[in-house]
Every structure is written in structure tokens, then in C-alpha cells.
């Protein structure tokens, strides 16, 4: 499960191709999509750039999350190379499940208790043996 996600990609615009790109997301495995508010980018007529979008907070921890980049305004004169898209990355913060955290804490507590017991047994004062 992820939180605070972002999606980024590099694009080389060579005069022909798309004019805008928008981020859409689905919380139900791709059945319906919602456009991420404010996540539309106008591509320049030429140049190499990196485009980055923030995934909305509504998508945090969604087990059936699907992300879609929708390119629009495509055109071609047949003269130049089209847009080249590369290095698509989805980044976020991994959030462990609560049961994983609870299990880890119980394991650490058990180890500490066991070590305490062993430590106390090894330093216990013993009565001297009289002969």
C-alpha cells in the first residue's frame, strides 16, 4: 500500500505529436476513471522535458488503483518524428499494514523479555559453597 504518490516521465517533443497530457485514476481496477483535479500539462511544441504529476490523496492505500496518462491533441504532418515518451516512474511511500507493525512489536518485546530473563539468570548472586 502506498501514500503520497507521484508519477513522472520524460518526453521528447519533436514538432509533431500531442499537445496536452492529463492524469486519470481508477479506484475500482479500471472500471471507471476520474480525472485528477488540476493535473493537466500543456506540452510545448518542441524540446526535451520531464513531466511530473501528484496522484490525488483519494488514491492512497487503494488496493485496485489504476493510473492512466491520457495524451490529447495529437497531430502529424508526416515530416518530423513524433513524441517520444520514456522512463515512466511511479513513486510513493510504502505504508505497512497495522498487523505487520503489531507483529513486529510483539516479536521485539518477546526478544527483549527473553534476553532480560537470560541476563538476570547469569548475574544472579549465588551463595558461597561452604566446605
Amino acid at each position: 500500500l502506498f501514500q503520497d504518490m507521484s508519477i513522472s516521465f520524460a518526453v521528447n517533443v519533436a514538432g509533431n505529436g500531442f499537445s496536452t497530457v492529463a492524469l486519470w485514476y481508477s479506484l475500482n481496477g479500471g472500471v471507471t476513471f476520474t480525472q485528477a483535479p488540476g493535473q493537466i500539462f500543456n506540452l510545448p511544441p518542441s524540446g526535451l522535458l520531464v513531466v511530473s504529476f501528484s496522484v490525488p490523496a483519494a488514491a492512497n492505500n487503494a488496493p485496485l488503483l489504476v493510473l492512466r496518462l491520457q495524451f490529447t491533441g495529437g497531430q502529424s504532418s508526416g515530416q518530423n518524428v513524433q513524441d517520444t515518451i520514456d522512463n515512466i516512474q511511479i513513486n510513493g511511500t510504502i505504508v505497512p499494514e497495522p498487523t505487520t507493525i503489531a507483529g513486529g512489536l510483539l516479536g521485539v518485546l518477546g526478544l527483549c523479555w527473553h534476553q532480560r530473563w537470560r541476563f538476570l539468570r547469569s548475574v544472579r548472586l549465588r551463595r558461597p559453597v561452604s566446605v
Side-chain angles (χ1 to χ4, degrees), residues 15-26:
N16 282 321
F18 300 103
S19 58
T20 61
V21 59
L23 175 65
W24 293 68
Y25 66 97
S26 171

Side-chain angles (χ1 to χ4, degrees), residues 71-122:
F71 292 84
T72 56
Q75 40 104 15
S76 174
S77 63
Q79 302 296 321
N80 298 358
V81 177
Q82 305 299 312
D83 293 347
T84 305
I85 301 163
D86 191 19
N87 200 22
I88 299 173
Q89 295 182 3
I90 300 174
N91 298 307
T93 304
I94 298 174
V95 179
E97 296 177 352
T99 55
T100 305
I101 294 172
L105 288 176
L106 285 174
V108 168
L109 286 173
L111 285 173
C112 291
W113 185 261
H114 180 71
Q115 290 297 335
R116 178 185 172 273
W117 178 76
R118 286 182 61 192
F119 176 73
L120 289 177
R121 202 173 91 197
S122 67

